[in-house]
Amino acid sequence: MDKELKILAPTAILGYGFPEASWEQGLAAEPDLIAVDAGSVDPGPFYLGAGKSFTDRSGVKRDLRYLLQAAVEKKIPLMIGSAGGAGGSSHLKWCQEIVAEITREEGLQFDLALIEAEINRKQVLNWYHQGKFLSNDDLPLNEEEINKASSIVAQMGSEPFIEALEKGAGVILAGRAYDPSVFAAYPLWKGYDPALALHLGKILECAAIASEPGSGRDAMLGFLGPDYFQVEPLSPRRRCTPASVAAHTLYEKKDPLHLPGPGGELDLEKTTFMAVNERRVEVRGTRFKPTPHYYLKLEGAKKAGYRTISVAGIRDPIMIREMENIIREVREEVHDNFRGTIDPADFHILFRLYGQDGVMGDLESVPFQGHELGLIIEAVAPSQAWADTLCSFARSTMLHFGYEGRISTAGNLAFPYSPSDFSGGAVYEFNIHHLVAVDNPREYFPVEIIRGFKGGAL
Amino acid sequence: MKKIPLTELCRVIRSKNAGPFELTLDLIFKDQKTYEQVKKMKAIEASLIARLYHVPEEEVLSLVYFDPALAVKATIKRPAGAGSLGETDVYGAQQHAPLLGVQIEMPPDFDRTGDLV
């Protein structure tokens, strides 16, 4: 703990890349740890629900090759959290296969830890029946919703990573994790201050985003001492300033002074940000306040149906004036046409009007003015076939709809594409986003160690 | 008093999800003097955010002045969860536009030139 720890954060999300020069610069600094956050909930519910990665396989493999080679050859611990983006079992497996491929291709060998973050439904139902969940007004939780979720993960804290370090892992690949955990676990294991380790992790998980000019595709180096930490970007064209580092704490958070996470919250009320030099910033004074219970955040997504969309433009001013009525009547005709064959409660027809309120929906306050509209007709239904049918019917009905005052009688929609309709596949929605109180933060994240891993069958 | 647009007082005006059910709005001011003046006048308040986004004031979940970043942050409830049916902006990254039209009443002697910290 006397020594200053150096932590290398190569990229904001595994697969987003980094310049080779920054990477070399980072390695030259002889880091004690290389860590990367591989996920986010931001791309939406589809990826968790469908078990797919939002990052591209080739991009992830490109980044991982640098990370694994350096970690093994230079014996630097490597931590990867929220593998595969959403961090469920299938995401972890996806990332694990990429790790195995590189390991074989490069002839590497190391002790690998795999940490699962998918929580089985029985466990979630137990917590629910034991009243362990905090309620969320936006999202009522009940047995039915838990049963509908196709995948449920929990954000692990630093504890499962520490367990893997205790067991001697050199490379740790974990499912869904609280973003700073991958950076904080190693310093915590070494006895460093948790508040500073976590706050440093908060900044490093976005790599060079906290520098100026910010970038998610560039590396940052963190320095952790007993009562301070420092950050410096590895590309000479970027710099950290007290303002850029402080401002980063605002990013994607509700309250910059109080940042809740597993086991407690970071309190920044007394935090100071000072320039060490032109490019490096020192942070002191952050505190960690444990919560009375240890809370894990659970995330779950359920299938909401299948989607088909049709894209068109509208240029006729009379049609534009009548749009509200047209949409209402087309919607009625869809319902009328399929009465008795599909329950109206089972499908959704949506009309998005770009140029009017397509971006802000109900939050839009500017009255419409313009000479053309972009239209997306969207059908979501219990099967792809039904979504195709409903979208197609709404599209053809609107194309030839005889609205009030119509002068142009040949067709109402300008389609940029043939075919005009696109089948979008399964649609998911978040249906679990809740905190659950647990006694042991390690218990739900089993750590599997594979000694002398050479990329063989997993 | 003279009215100055937020776009002239701020170097960053942005919106983003804070989790799938909240939308957070950041205003980062250009310099210390501007920030202190806006903070002193309480020119950015929950009522302003409520009016701009026509949501009830209780749906403005927090409004915080954050000195180290020269920033004001407001968080509102999202009208619909990110990526839910009919929702319009999965990342919440294009919901800042109403802030761009805001003008702040600054004191007549306020002059942003030559006010570097």
Side-chain angles (χ1 to χ4, degrees):
Chain A
M1 230 205 77
D2 313 329
K3 132 178 205 292
E4 188 177 67
L5 275 189
K6 280 175 275 190
I7 305 176
L8 174 56
T11 183
I13 289 186
L14 187 67
Y16 280 18
F18 43 81
E20 201 165 64
S22 299
W23 170 249
E24 293 299 336
Q25 194 71 27
L27 283 185
E30 301 187 337
D32 300 284
L33 169 70
I34 302 169
V36 65
D37 165 36
S40 171
V41 75
D42 253 349
F46 171 80
Y47 303 95
L48 173 60
K52 300 258 170 69
S53 173
F54 68 85
T55 48
D56 176 70
R57 194 180 196 281
S58 301
V60 169
K61 190 171 176 184
R62 180 266 184 197
D63 289 359
L64 265 176
R65 190 185 301 276
Y66 285 94
L67 271 49
L68 282 168
Q69 276 185 307
V72 176
E73 283 163 20
K74 296 177 187 293
K75 298 199 183 341
I76 306 168
L78 169 63
M79 310 241 191
I80 299 154
S82 299
S89 286
S90 48
H91 305 93
L92 182 62
K93 192 155 182 43
W94 178 84
C95 198
Q96 201 176 308
E97 278 164 8
I98 302 172
V99 167
E101 241 174 61
I102 298 166
T103 303
R104 287 195 300 272
E105 287 165 10
E106 302 296 336
L108 304 175
Q109 185 175 353
F110 51 90
D111 291 341
L112 172 67
L114 298 167
I115 313 179
E116 279 278 351
E118 183 132 358
I119 308 290
N120 75 55
R121 198 181 311 279
K122 220 176 117 192
Q123 177 64 64
V124 179
L125 286 166
N126 281 344
W127 280 328
Y128 176 71
H129 291 302
Q130 292 162 3
K132 299 280 191 189
F133 280 102
L134 291 189
S135 62
N136 172 353
D137 293 344
D138 298 317
L139 209 57
L141 189 67
N142 53 46
E143 206 163 312
E144 191 190 343
E145 290 299 331
I146 295 170
N147 281 322
K148 276 185 184 168
S150 58
S151 184
I152 305 171
V153 295
Q155 292 186 14
M156 68 182 80
S158 306
E159 297 82 358
F161 290 97
I162 294 174
E163 183 179 333
L165 287 166
E166 287 166 356
K167 290 178 174 170
V171 175
I172 302 176
L173 185 59
R176 186 66 172 134
Y178 174 58
D179 297 346
S181 301
V182 283
F183 299 93
Y186 183 83
L188 288 176
W189 184 50
K190 294 280 180 192
Y192 284 79
D193 178 61
L196 291 169
L198 283 164
H199 190 181
L200 174 59
K202 270 256 171 245
I203 293 163
L204 292 182
E205 63 108 341
C206 287
I209 286 180
S211 66
E212 285 176 352
S215 170
R217 192 199 159 257
D218 208 343
M220 187 92 110
L221 196 58
F223 306 82
L224 179 61
D227 57 355
Y228 69 90
F229 71 81
Q230 299 176 349
V231 283
E232 182 179 320
L234 284 156
S235 159
R237 43 183 293 262
R238 308 184 196 285
R239 60 194 206 115
C240 279
T241 66
S244 77
V245 175
H248 182 70
T249 317
L250 297 167
Y251 189 60
E252 297 175 336
K253 302 292 176 288
K254 177 178 173 182
D255 176 350
L257 295 172
H258 305 99
L259 306 168
E265 75 167 26
L266 279 180
D267 176 349
L268 272 68
E269 299 219 9
K270 296 222 154 55
T271 303
T272 58
F273 301 84
M274 293 220 334
V276 176
N277 58 36
E278 287 259 290
R279 303 184 55 249
R280 194 191 285 202
V281 168
E282 180 169 286
V283 180
R284 288 172 182 264
T286 304
R287 293 169 298 177
F288 182 74
K289 292 187 174 162
T291 38
H293 294 288
Y294 191 107
Y295 289 105
L296 290 175
K297 186 183 272 179
L298 260 63
E299 297 161 346
K302 67 174 176 186
K303 193 183 271 186
Y306 294 80
R307 174 180 283 134
T308 304
I309 65 166
S310 185
V311 180
I314 301 162
R315 181 63 180 78
D316 185 304
I318 305 166
M319 169 129 181
I320 289 174
R321 196 186 66 209
E322 290 297 315
M323 260 330 266
E324 204 181 320
N325 293 328
I326 295 168
I327 286 173
R328 195 187 58 248
E329 291 181 45
V330 169
R331 194 188 294 279
E332 281 168 11
E333 293 203 13
V334 173
H335 282 92
D336 182 60
N337 205 65
F338 296 99
R339 188 159 291 132
T341 54
I342 181 169
D343 186 339
D346 288 345
F347 70 89
H348 303 266
I349 295 283
L350 296 165
F351 300 86
R352 298 174 184 268
L353 293 175
Y354 285 90
Q356 181 172 308
D357 59 2
V359 175
M360 294 196 66
D362 290 343
L363 295 180
E364 185 55 73
S365 51
V366 177
F368 172 72
Q369 47 181 348
H371 64 280
E372 71 174 33
L373 279 175
L375 169 72
I376 295 178
I377 303 173
E378 174 179 347
V380 176
S383 67
Q384 190 69 63
W386 262 118
D388 291 351
T389 298
L390 293 164
C391 182
S392 164
F393 183 83
R395 183 244 311 139
S396 61
T397 303
M398 188 173 266
L399 176 62
H400 299 294
F401 192 78
Y403 55 85
E404 184 70 35
R406 188 185 195 216
I407 288 174
S408 157
T409 55
N412 301 326
L413 301 173
F415 297 106
Y417 308 115
S418 170
S420 58
D421 302 356
F422 301 83
S423 303
V427 178
Y428 291 83
E429 286 191 305
F430 288 119
N431 72 335
I432 299 176
H433 190 78
H434 292 78
L435 295 175
V436 65
V438 298
D439 294 325
N440 179 355
R442 290 188 181 191
E443 191 179 340
Y444 308 100
F445 306 99
V447 177
E448 182 195 352
I449 305 278
I450 306 169
R451 305 263 171 219
F453 179 67
K454 289 196 223 173
L458 291 159
Chain B
M1 302 294 263
K2 59 177 173 184
K3 286 188 168 181
I4 304 184
L6 269 183
T7 46
E8 284 180 27
L9 300 175
C10 292
R11 66 181 179 88
V12 173
I13 299 176
R14 67 188 180 191
S15 68
K16 188 77 199 276
N17 294 346
F21 297 96
E22 290 169 2
L23 183 72
T24 194
L25 306 161
D26 295 343
L27 298 169
I28 304 179
F29 290 87
K30 282 181 175 165
D31 54 75
Q32 191 91 31
K33 183 179 161 192
T34 307
Y35 171 74
E36 295 295 347
Q37 183 63 40
V38 168
K39 186 181 175 185
K40 196 170 91 188
M41 298 189 310
K42 293 188 177 142
I44 311 291
E45 288 202 283
S47 56
L48 170 72
I49 303 299
R51 200 168 68 242
L52 286 176
Y53 288 86
H54 45 88
V55 297
E57 213 171 305
E58 57 269 22
E59 287 188 18
V60 182
L61 304 171
S62 69
L63 188 129
V64 184
Y65 282 81
F66 184 46
D67 298 350
L70 311 179
V72 186
K73 183 184 214 21
T75 302
I76 63 174
K77 266 177 86 146
R78 259 177 156 282
S84 62
L85 294 188
E87 199 270 315
T88 58
D89 184 357
V90 173
Y91 288 70
Q94 281 294 309
Q95 305 300 309
H96 60 293
L99 291 164
L100 301 178
V102 172
Q103 305 216 355
I104 302 286
E105 295 260 12
M106 297 297 265
D109 60 344
F110 178 81
D111 179 5
R112 277 207 325 98
T113 55
D115 56 3
L116 293 172
V117 268

